[in-house]
Amino acid sequence: MGYGIRLLIWGNYACFTRPEMKGERVSYDVITPSAARGILESIHWKPAIQWVVDRIHVLNPIRLDNIRRNEVGSKISEAKIKSAMKGNEEDLHQYPNDDRQQRATLLLRDVAYIVEAHFNMTDLAGPEDTTEKHYNIAIRRSRQGQCFHQPYLGCKEFPAMFRLLDKDEMIPSVYHGEERDLGWMLWDLDYQNNRSAQFFRASMKDGIIDVPWIKKGMVI
Amino acid sequence: MSEVIQNRYEFVLFYDVENGNPNGDPDAGNMPRIDPETGFGIATDVCLKRKIRNYVDIVKEGADGYDIYVREGGVLNLQHKKAYDHLGIKPESKKLPKDKELARQITEFLCSTFFDIRTFGAVMTNEVNGGQVQGPVQLAFSRSIDPIVPQEITITRMAVTNERDLEKERAMGRKHIIPYGLYKVEGFVSAHLAKKAGFTEADLQLLWDALTNMFDHDHSAARGKMSSRKLYIFKHESVLGNAPAYQLFDLVKATKKDETRPARSFYDYHVEIERDKIPDGVTMIEK
């Protein structure tokens, strides 16, 4: 794990939606490993590498806020598009006023995290994919604020700011000296396995969550 | 068609409202959205996206490639129900309906037909992965520069809805307004996602036009007077960007000229940008 990276991530709002409460979204108390992986991937990712989140530092107090928005209820129908592509007359538009859902979001505010992560090489790595190369790209991009697309905190409307932490730089957590059980949290989706969700028992000690390794559908 | 954009952008838009309600909160009886802890006003990302869509719809009048997928009911227009055969989808594609390829074609079709899908993305039904478009343009929530003070205004109407209320002669209603609020919104344009969605230089210009003009086509009784005031665009030399977004956003500041008085117009604010601190590789465009 000589190729670890430590990223400071912060933003005004965040919503890491709990899968059991997604009709009216309720955020987890802290960022999930899968959301953290998404942020890393928005900075640098290639099929040759796979990001693994090792630890998450929760720097700011966990505070929640409620926002209700008008949303649309349905998604684009594939059948209709196929038919339109063949030249049939189809109304492809979506009329949000006729298909309205008002949904509340219980979101986090003023969040800041340190994400410690590393990457593994995958089977898709070619001869030119060295760990040094990918590590250097990731470091350079996160230092210069470069990204593939702006990363976000759970939902796209909550952009994430990020910067690389210096070698010895440490930012204290408000939860220092405390221990807290965060319950079962989403670890990530298993994309090899029909995108099944995998969970882990998250506990925060001194503001730090140790993210476990995953093995064959089981988190240990 | 013009080229797909080759640069990353960030932008900051200042817009203001006078005696109106920029974005009602359905949770609070349509009062202006407000951050309960600080008193700052909020407008959601989707609120502005709606206005951008409406603007493009008005300007382009359903021109090829500029259709709007998420439409407002009021503009339902049968002429848009046209066939899309001009795209000339090759029949041989049916021979090899490999799921991935079909999903790609569907995504491509949607992107080339609808401006809002190309810009903001869209989600398509079912398990076919790839039927999802991640749009290059990302908007955050807007926030007011100072705390806002919403007012409730009671109004009367010299008519009633129901016959049985005839003797009452008039009905009373309520409006929520804020006397004045200057809002700031931050946004991002990813060149990489633009490539995937086919978001072109022309689309980008249209987006800037929409941001500058969208309120001029969105007047209503509830909104009062809303206007775009200042649009600062940060253009990075490269696709990936030349500076962190937060550093650029921090360069733009709005401050009240007289702290002791409540602001009632844009001229009560001083909007400035630290030009000398704009990093190398980033140019700033003012609109």
Side-chain angles (χ1 to χ4, degrees):
Chain A
M1 293 227 314
Y3 288 106
I5 170 170
R6 287 191 314 148
L7 209 60
L8 175 65
I9 293 162
W10 72 98
N12 293 334
Y13 296 101
C15 181
F16 310 107
T17 310
R18 290 175 187 266
E20 71 273 26
M21 289 184 271
K22 58 185 186 183
E24 300 224 83
R25 295 178 209 91
V26 175
S27 177
Y28 279 117
D29 284 347
V30 299
I31 189 171
T32 59
S34 79
R37 174 181 57 79
I39 289 176
L40 291 158
E41 285 174 357
S42 73
I43 296 167
H44 175 61
W45 179 78
K46 280 271 149 48
I49 65 168
Q50 181 185 31
W51 284 103
V52 179
V53 176
D54 302 312
R55 293 167 107 196
I56 292 164
H57 303 234
V58 181
L59 305 180
N60 287 359
I62 295 163
R63 290 193 300 158
L64 292 160
D65 209 344
N66 186 46
I67 294 227
R68 185 178 291 270
R69 284 175 283 185
N70 292 324
E71 301 179 12
V72 287
S74 52
K75 290 181 274 185
I76 307 177
S77 137
E78 191 190 273
K80 262 192 175 180
I81 301 163
K82 278 186 192 160
S83 157
M85 285 167 75
K86 284 179 196 151
N88 297 326
E89 291 213 358
E90 282 290 347
D91 184 8
L92 285 179
H93 305 100
Q94 195 169 41
Y95 302 99
N97 288 346
D98 304 336
D99 186 17
R100 172 148 289 178
Q101 290 183 350
Q102 284 199 341
R103 294 163 79 190
T105 304
L106 194 63
L107 41 71
L108 295 165
R109 40 183 310 166
D110 300 323
V111 299
Y113 306 104
I114 296 172
V115 172
E116 292 183 29
H118 69 278
F119 60 81
N120 294 330
M121 304 305 280
T122 66
D123 300 341
L124 296 168
E128 70 288 354
D129 288 305
T130 61
T131 42
E132 288 80 5
K133 172 181 136 183
H134 287 289
Y135 174 73
N136 284 320
I137 295 174
I139 290 286
R140 191 176 65 236
R141 288 193 185 173
S142 37
R143 183 172 289 138
Q144 298 179 356
Q146 298 184 317
C147 52
F148 184 82
H149 62 83
Q150 190 68 29
Y152 50 91
L153 296 157
C155 307
K156 265 208 136 175
E157 58 269 38
F158 312 129
M161 303 296 150
F162 63 92
R163 82 173 166 84
L164 189 72
L165 279 191
D166 291 331
K167 229 179 188 165
D168 304 312
E169 188 181 356
M170 200 25 90
I171 299 168
S173 162
V174 293
Y175 292 105
H176 193 80
E178 260 184 65
E179 225 178 307
R180 199 190 268 219
D181 182 7
L182 298 171
W184 287 96
M185 274 179 68
L186 178 73
W187 182 81
D188 211 328
L189 299 178
D190 185 352
Y191 291 90
Q192 258 79 55
N193 237 324
N194 203 19
R195 294 192 278 160
S196 60
Q198 291 174 306
F199 296 86
F200 74 110
R201 183 93 198 191
S203 63
M204 183 166 79
K205 204 175 179 181
D206 291 331
I208 300 170
I209 300 159
D210 274 306
V211 180
W213 280 84
I214 203 144
K215 252 188 197 168
K216 284 262 177 240
M218 202 176 85
V219 184
I220 44 168
Chain B
M1 271 306 258
S2 73
E3 288 293 300
V4 168
I5 61 164
Q6 300 294 334
N7 305 78
R8 182 182 127 184
Y9 295 85
E10 265 92 48
F11 59 91
V12 179
L13 173 72
F14 287 96
Y15 62 92
D16 64 354
V17 56
E18 236 179 275
N19 296 324
N21 182 356
N23 185 203
D25 186 349
D27 254 348
N30 210 32
M31 255 181 47
R33 289 185 192 274
I34 194 163
D35 176 338
E37 285 181 38
T38 58
F40 288 109
I42 296 172
T44 58
D45 58 318
V46 284
C47 159
L48 294 185
K49 285 182 185 171
R50 170 82 268 147
K51 296 188 206 311
I52 295 171
R53 287 186 166 108
N54 287 353
Y55 175 81
V56 171
D57 202 17
I58 293 167
V59 170
K60 289 291 179 181
E61 292 178 320
D64 274 354
Y66 288 95
D67 211 340
I68 295 295
Y69 175 66
V70 186
R71 268 174 181 277
E72 212 139 32
V75 288
L76 190 130
N77 188 341
L78 285 179
Q79 91 173 35
H80 292 293
K81 262 185 161 183
K82 60 192 169 186
Y84 294 92
D85 46 2
H86 62 271
L87 266 152
I89 299 299
K90 303 137 258 155
E92 63 264 32
S93 71
K94 271 183 277 174
K95 261 193 238 160
L96 270 177
K98 242 185 110 188
D99 245 11
K100 254 190 182 165
E101 172 59 18
L102 191 64
R104 196 192 59 75
Q105 281 186 14
I106 288 173
T107 310
E108 211 175 272
F109 172 80
L110 286 172
C111 286
S112 60
T113 311
F114 294 103
F115 175 80
D116 54 341
I117 295 184
R118 228 165 36 238
T119 308
F120 303 127
V123 177
M124 213 181 57
T125 187
N126 74 45
E127 271 78 51
V128 184
N129 218 357
Q132 213 181 62
V133 188
Q134 208 182 355
V137 178
Q138 186 177 348
L139 279 175
F141 280 11
S142 315
R143 186 184 273 182
S144 64
I145 305 303
D146 285 306
I148 55 161
V149 186
Q151 285 179 5
E152 195 178 320
I153 293 188
T154 306
I155 49 173
T156 57
R157 184 179 61 179
M158 307 306 280
V160 289
T161 314
N162 291 316
E163 223 175 324
R164 61 172 182 276
D165 294 329
L166 208 56
E167 67 283 2
K168 285 188 190 158
E169 285 181 339
R170 64 180 68 175
M172 297 190 85
R174 276 193 201 111
K175 266 176 108 154
H176 294 280
I177 61 157
I178 53 177
Y180 184 78
L182 179 64
Y183 284 71
K184 177 184 169 190
V185 60
E186 297 167 347
F188 311 83
V189 186
S190 154
H192 278 287
L193 294 178
K195 193 159 72 184
K196 287 190 179 174
F199 183 82
T200 62
E201 289 288 344
D203 292 332
L204 185 75
Q205 290 313 317
L206 187 58
L207 175 74
W208 302 145
D209 288 347
L211 286 169
T212 333
N213 299 318
M214 60 187 172
F215 296 111
D216 292 328
H217 303 279
D218 186 56
H219 292 300
S220 77
R223 299 270 173 262
K225 192 172 125 197
M226 291 187 75
S227 335
S228 289
R229 289 293 183 168
K230 271 274 174 201
L231 175 62
Y232 294 105
I233 301 162
F234 295 101
K235 180 179 183 179
H236 298 257
E237 258 172 28
S238 63
V239 168
L240 283 171
N242 297 64
Y246 70 92
Q247 277 180 12
L248 301 175
F249 291 142
D250 284 351
L251 298 176
V252 185
K253 277 188 197 77
T255 41
K256 209 151 58 162
K257 285 177 186 163
D258 182 354
E259 277 298 334
T260 60
R261 245 167 20 92
R264 285 294 177 265
S265 91
F266 183 62
Y267 303 101
D268 291 335
Y269 281 97
H270 191 60
V271 180
E272 61 178 342
I273 173 149
E274 296 174 77
R275 282 164 213 279
D276 47 322
K277 288 196 189 151
I278 295 172
D280 288 343
V282 178
T283 44
M284 202 261 303
I285 306 160
E286 234 176 300
K287 287 200 182 212

